[in-house]
Each structure stands twice: as structure tokens, then as C-alpha cells.
Amino acid sequence: MDPSSTLSYPSSLIMQSTGLVEAYEELLVSNLGAVRSIESGLRNVSWLLPGRFQDAELASEGLYALLNAVSGYHDSLLSKHLDPALTLPPHPFDARPPTTTPLDPSEPSVSKTAPVLPPPSDHARYTKYWTTRSGVYRKASRLLVTIGYIELLVEMVARKRLGDRRRWNYVLGLEVVKTLLRLIILGVTGRPVLHPPTPQREYDLLSIPSAVLKTAKKAVIPTGPKASEEEEQPITALPSHGAVTPTLPPYAPLRSHLFPLTNALPEEHLAHPISLLPTLTPGQYVSEIIESSVTLLHVVLLLRSAKRRNTSYGRFSLPTLSSPTLPYLLPLLLCLWSRRLRRTHSKSILLAEHHANLDRRLAARAFLTGPMWVGWTRPKVMNVVRILGKVPIVNFASEFIEGYIPLVDEYFYYSS
């Protein structure tokens, strides 16, 4: 075997994989409408699957996890093609003619005064800052988000293939990893750990005209004896924001142009992303550590309660583990204590949104887990289902809700 061919095999494989990625990226950019329709359609199907057939919840959660992972990959690809200037209004006096072909009538029109994309939220600016600035934060946050996508799917597969007892080993392992990742993020930033810790898509794919996307085209490489002398480098065509956006006539009134500037300013004129969340005080550090590890403590208490039971029948099933009071009350009390410790006088909007998110998760933990779910919330939900089932037109809603009740009963990650 020729050694040179052996050495060139990995490089050729890398080139082929790179070509496939570039081809997929080009296909994505040129078919945003179809991609958005497929994503939304499959997501709606995943919501309607539970309770329809055997193992429907497994198919639904697998589809949901796959969609989230693919959507995240699509966002990372699209971020390379979206100019940050698209969040700003076009220049009113740019009289240069458009350099691109006219837009398709089926595509969204580009406003003369409004930005093409909405301005990034505080969450997007903060998480993007840390994602680009810190490699540790980027890896930890992406891994944490990925685990959040697949954790329920892992629990479902483990329960169906290995049984109730061994599925808790996987749940415990996932919670250990998630707790460590949250603590790593907390140590890197010194600020509250947002949920989710990565930037999210804040625009509709159908609202992006193809003309404003950056395109990269390679020049034709000549063949023949002069190829080495006249080899052309890849040319990147980056249409400017003013060139692809319909312009206002010169000396037009500025009233309609300046109004969008109130909500869209260049990054250099905004508050620094790191200042969007205040640094933590010692008490708030304790609060964040509790929030990061309370779910792990909940799992440990459930396993301890299961091992102390005398009966061996169904002692590791979640309905059985939901009856003891201690595994339910102790995490709940710790969350309430954490809520008291995190009190702050900061006027940060992002911090207020983060605290509101924690309060919603606390309410879900209080009413959808443990004895509260078994003895109070579940009977109330079943009463609503029975009432809706008697109404001819809205009885579909009762079937929809009833399909999700067994998931809350049997799976830890559905309500935690």
C-alpha cells in the first residue's frame, strides 16, 4: 500500500465532511421557509403524540429532543450569515442602488425604516458575551443545554429497557453532571446561572429575506499550466445593510427613521453585557448553590426513601416514591430559603426575569411533585378532564390533557 495514500486518507475524509457541512449550510440558507415549516410542524406533532399509541410518549420525546438539537445547530449556522447591523435601521441617506437581484414576491419585504431583525434581548447579549469570551463557559453551557434536551428521553429509555430501579442510576448520574456544570458556570461568571445559559433564537426564520444573508461563493479555479499562477482565492461577498435594503430618498424627513432607533442602538452605545447581571453577594452565592444542587438532593432523598421501604414491589416507581413527605418538603424548604437569600435591590431587568423563572419552577415543583401532586393537584386535574370530556366540542382537550397525566405520574424529569 502506498504510504502517501494512507496519509492522505484522513485529510480527504475531513475535506469531504467539510464539503457536506458547507452543502448543508447552503441548503439551509436557501430554504429557510421550508426549514421553519418542517420544524414547527414536527414540533406540533410531538405535542399531540402522547397517549395516542403504545410508546407514543417515547416517540414524542425523541422527536422533541432531536428537533431541539437540530434547531440549535441551525441557529449556530445562521449566526454566521446574519450581520449584527441587521438589528439597526438602515441609513436614510444611502442612495446607492441595490447590488442584489430583486426580492421574490413571496419573500418578506424589507422595510425602509425598520430593522430587519429585532434587537437582541438582554439574555441574548449576556449569554453571547460569555459564550464568545470564555471557552469553559461555552462548553459547560452547551453541554448543560444538551442534557436538558435529552434527559427525559434517557429516563424513558432506561425505565422501559432496564426497569424502575436502574433508571434512577441514570437520573442520579445526569443530576450530578448538571450540578457540576452549573457550579462551573457560577464559578466562571460570579453571577446567577441563567436558564438556559446559551443564546436562543429570537427571530422568525420566515421574516428573514434571502437578500440580507451573507453569501460566500468560491471563484472558479482555472485549470491548465497557468493554474498555479492564476489560482484565485475564495471571494466572500458580504452585501452591506444599506445596499440590500430599500433606501429613502435623499433629504427625506427623519421622523419615520429615527423612531426605530429608540429600541435599536449599536452595541457600543448599550450597557456592557457583563453589567446586565450584578455580581453575587455571599448570601446570593449560597442561594445559587442551593438552586444548582436542589434537584440532585431531591433524587438522593427519593433513593434513600426507596431503600428504607420494607416491601420490594414497586418501591422504585415514582408514584410510590411520591408518597413520603421528607423528599418533597426538604427540597421545597431549601428553595424557599434560597428565594429569601437572593433578595436584592438591583434594578436589572434580566435579573428580575431570572428570578421570575425560578419562581415558576418552584411553583411547578410544589404542585406537580410529591404528595401535593398525588393528593391535591392530580384529583383536580382529573375533575377538569371529566368535565371537559362531557362537552362534545372540547372533549379533544380532555383527551389531550389525559395523555400527559401518566407522564407526570411516572417520569421524574417531566415535572422537575
Side-chain angles (χ1 to χ4, degrees):
M1 181 181 292
D2 188 4
S4 60
S5 62
T6 305
L7 293 175
S8 63
Y9 178 73
S11 60
S12 63
L13 186 62
I14 293 175
M15 292 178 62
Q16 291 178 2
S17 61
T18 304
L20 291 176
V21 172
E22 292 177 353
Y24 182 79
E25 186 173 348
E26 183 178 355
L27 180 66
L28 171 67
V29 172
S30 58
N31 297 276
L32 289 181
V35 171
R36 193 261 187 187
S37 300
I38 293 173
E39 285 184 359
S40 61
L42 292 179
R43 203 175 299 276
N44 293 335
V45 169
S46 68
W47 281 100
L48 298 175
L49 282 180
R52 298 294 176 265
F53 53 88
Q54 186 177 5
D55 293 338
E57 67 277 5
L58 187 60
S60 172
E61 192 57 33
L63 182 60
Y64 177 77
L66 179 62
L67 278 175
N68 284 328
V70 172
S71 297
Y73 180 63
H74 287 171
D75 292 343
S76 64
L77 292 180
L78 286 176
S79 63
K80 305 175 185 178
H81 294 265
L82 294 176
D83 193 339
L86 294 176
T87 60
L88 304 176
H91 197 284
F93 299 139
D94 192 348
R96 291 175 295 174
T99 59
T100 59
T101 57
L103 297 177
D104 192 300
S106 61
E107 292 188 359
S109 59
V110 182
S111 173
K112 296 181 180 181
T113 58
V116 176
L117 297 179
S121 64
D122 290 347
H123 178 275
R125 294 182 60 231
Y126 177 83
T127 52
K128 184 178 180 180
Y129 170 82
W130 282 109
T131 302
T132 56
R133 179 61 63 91
S134 172
V136 176
Y137 181 94
R138 179 173 60 253
K139 295 175 182 178
S141 61
R142 288 180 178 176
L143 182 56
L144 183 60
V145 170
T146 303
I147 292 176
Y149 291 155
I150 65 172
E151 59 187 8
L152 181 56
L153 179 63
V154 171
E155 183 186 4
M156 286 181 173
V157 174
R159 179 175 178 270
K160 289 184 178 295
R161 297 294 179 88
L162 305 175
D164 277 321
R165 181 170 185 172
R166 296 184 63 182
R167 69 101 173 250
W168 287 107
N169 296 333
Y170 289 87
V171 173
L172 181 62
L174 288 176
E175 284 306 317
V176 170
V177 175
K178 288 169 60 179
T179 301
L180 291 176
L181 292 175
R182 293 193 191 101
L183 294 179
I184 289 173
I185 294 175
L186 178 62
V188 170
T189 62
R191 288 166 171 79
V193 182
L194 298 182
H195 179 78
T198 56
Q200 302 296 300
R201 183 189 299 175
E202 298 179 335
Y203 51 84
D204 187 0
L205 294 180
L206 294 179
S207 65
I208 305 177
S210 59
V212 302
L213 293 172
K214 298 178 183 178
T215 57
K217 297 181 179 179
K218 291 185 177 180
V220 178
I221 300 178
T223 58
K226 296 184 179 181
S228 58
E229 300 177 2
E230 300 179 359
E231 183 176 356
E232 298 185 14
Q233 299 296 328
I235 299 175
T236 303
L238 301 179
S240 64
H241 188 49
V244 299
T245 306
T247 57
L248 294 175
Y251 308 106
L254 291 179
R255 181 180 304 172
S256 61
H257 178 75
L258 291 179
F259 180 73
L261 285 175
T262 57
N263 293 322
L265 292 175
E267 183 70 24
E268 58 268 18
H269 296 290
L270 297 174
H272 196 278
I274 203 173
S275 66
L276 296 175
L277 280 182
T279 55
L280 296 174
T281 63
Q284 292 169 350
Y285 258 111
V286 175
S287 173
E288 285 295 323
I289 292 174
I290 292 174
E291 289 289 347
S292 299
S293 57
V294 68
T295 308
L296 175 61
L297 176 63
H298 190 191
V299 175
V300 172
L301 291 175
L302 289 176
L303 291 177
R304 180 175 176 271
S305 174
K307 292 179 180 179
R308 295 181 63 180
R309 286 181 172 272
N310 297 326
T311 178
S312 60
Y313 177 75
R315 63 175 180 172
F316 284 95
S317 65
L318 189 58
T320 304
L321 295 177
S322 298
S323 56
T325 306
L326 181 62
Y328 169 75
L329 278 183
L330 186 56
L332 194 62
L333 292 176
L334 285 175
C335 288
L336 292 174
W337 184 39
S338 169
R339 190 176 187 275
R340 181 178 179 83
L341 289 175
R342 71 171 185 245
R343 287 183 177 179
T344 179
H345 299 288
S346 174
K347 297 181 180 180
S348 169
I349 298 177
L350 183 58
L351 184 62
E353 293 175 351
H354 172 62
H355 288 169
N357 186 24
L358 293 179
D359 290 342
R360 287 191 293 268
R361 296 173 65 182
L362 175 59
R365 180 186 297 274
F367 290 98
L368 298 180
T369 62
M372 178 66 77
W373 164 253
V374 175
W376 191 85
T377 309
R378 193 181 191 280
K380 298 294 187 294
V381 174
M382 292 304 299
N383 289 336
V384 173
V385 168
R386 282 192 290 268
I387 293 173
L388 293 178
K390 298 177 182 179
V391 182
I393 299 178
V394 297
N395 55 0
F396 174 76
S398 67
E399 297 178 1
F400 179 77
I401 298 173
E402 194 172 5
Y404 279 89
I405 291 178
L407 302 181
V408 182
D409 288 338
E410 299 290 343
Y411 295 105
F412 175 79
Y413 279 123
Y414 222 94
S415 55
S416 297

